Amino acid sequence: MTISLTGLYAGTGNRFTEEVQSGINSKQTMRQLIVHRDHLEGDTRFDLKNHGGDERVLHHFPQEHYAFFKQQGLMAADRQAPALGENISTLGLLEQDVCIGDEIAIGEVLLQITLPRAPCFKTNLQFRQREFARTMQDTARCGWLYRVLTPGTINEGDAVAIVQRHGDITVAEAIALYFAEPFDAAAYQRLLTAPALGSDWQQNLHKRLASNRCESWQGRLYGSEHLYQGW
């Protein structure tokens, strides 16, 4: 497997729309990332419930997916990373290639995969495509999130390597299990066996199993209807 680090990105954030704050459109190309245990230097998060914290310090998104979304007519031809708000872009490493709990070394920094990204309506607004987030979720083209095991500096051109594997649930499978429809207790129980799975997904899975129902994703995937007025 040949993995190439193709981009490093960070940004201080901005008001995305008149109503929505997000850093998705603020990321700039960086020559290096200074990575701390609980944050990335120079990278602002607005929605601390769903972004940031020590289990979501960095977002890794495969560069290959841009071609897919363009082919689907969901993204203009000139859009490139970091249009999805990612911090790390690569070629040669996809959701089916990595597992929840994998330890990934990039330069001197050691990271651990905790969660897939859960797509939200802000990507719909970013590309003016109402079904963008849903397509990300349905096709398992979401990227993934990291906790930091060894902080330090990532430089452009650093090597990327999977150095240790702790489980067998790929990020692609984790997406399929978590977003299984309709309610699927076996899928949720399977995902709970993934070592190092992020605590918020663990809590949500236990709530589903206790209540025998799955929460609605409408708000996350689409937001409020008035956000699309005037399109």
Side-chain angles (χ1 to χ4, degrees):
M1 178 187 297
T2 300
I3 308 167
S4 300
L5 181 62
T6 56
L8 302 173
Y9 312 101
T12 55
N14 66 325
R15 184 173 290 278
F16 184 40
T17 71
E18 290 185 2
E19 297 180 58
V20 179
Q21 284 193 320
S22 172
I24 190 173
N25 211 26
S26 72
K27 299 296 185 284
Q28 304 293 323
T29 300
M30 311 292 288
R31 297 189 66 180
Q32 66 175 208
L33 298 180
I34 301 174
V35 182
H36 301 273
R37 285 198 180 274
D38 61 351
H39 73 282
L40 172 61
E41 202 163 297
D43 200 53
T44 302
R45 306 296 173 91
F46 286 100
D47 179 5
L48 297 181
K49 178 181 178 181
N50 298 300
H51 303 280
D54 59 8
E55 294 180 342
R56 304 169 182 262
V57 180
L58 294 164
H59 175 221
H60 186 148
F61 191 75
Q63 184 175 314
E64 290 93 334
H65 295 337
Y66 280 84
F68 169 81
F69 290 119
K70 291 172 186 178
Q71 290 166 0
Q72 297 299 306
L74 294 172
M75 183 186 292
D78 62 346
R79 300 307 294 267
Q80 300 291 343
L84 277 157
E86 60 266 47
N87 302 117
I88 296 170
S89 177
T90 55
L91 287 171
L93 197 64
L94 301 175
E95 287 83 354
Q96 58 264 36
D97 301 321
V98 291
C99 293
I100 302 296
D102 276 4
E103 296 181 22
I104 310 291
I106 309 180
E108 67 182 18
V109 175
L110 183 61
L111 306 167
Q112 185 173 43
I113 298 175
T114 55
L115 292 166
R117 176 184 182 165
C120 80
F121 70 92
K122 294 174 186 177
T123 60
N124 303 348
L125 303 181
Q126 173 77 324
F127 302 105
R128 294 181 66 83
Q129 296 286 346
R130 184 183 176 89
E131 298 299 324
F132 197 97
R134 184 77 205 203
T135 303
M136 289 181 73
Q137 178 172 300
D138 289 348
T139 64
R141 289 175 167 87
C142 301
W144 55 89
L145 302 168
Y146 289 119
R147 67 163 52 92
V148 178
L149 300 179
T150 303
T153 301
I154 299 175
N155 294 292
E156 58 182 0
D158 276 346
V160 180
I162 303 169
V163 296
Q164 192 164 357
R165 175 154 289 169
H166 297 279
D168 64 351
I169 298 178
T170 66
V171 170
E173 184 184 1
I175 295 167
L177 293 170
Y178 190 78
F179 297 118
E181 296 180 293
F183 178 88
D184 189 336
Y188 309 147
Q189 290 166 344
R190 160 83 172 143
L191 184 52
L192 280 168
T193 68
L197 181 69
S199 58
D200 58 341
W201 275 33
Q202 291 187 47
Q203 291 167 8
N204 286 343
L205 291 167
H206 284 300
K207 287 179 182 177
R208 292 178 191 178
L209 291 169
S211 64
N212 204 40
R213 66 181 182 86
C214 184
E215 70 277 10
S216 171
W217 303 326
Q218 183 72 19
R220 173 177 56 81
L221 290 173
Y222 297 101
S224 300
E225 187 62 34
H226 72 272
L227 293 172
Y228 303 95
Q229 292 178 359
W231 283 22

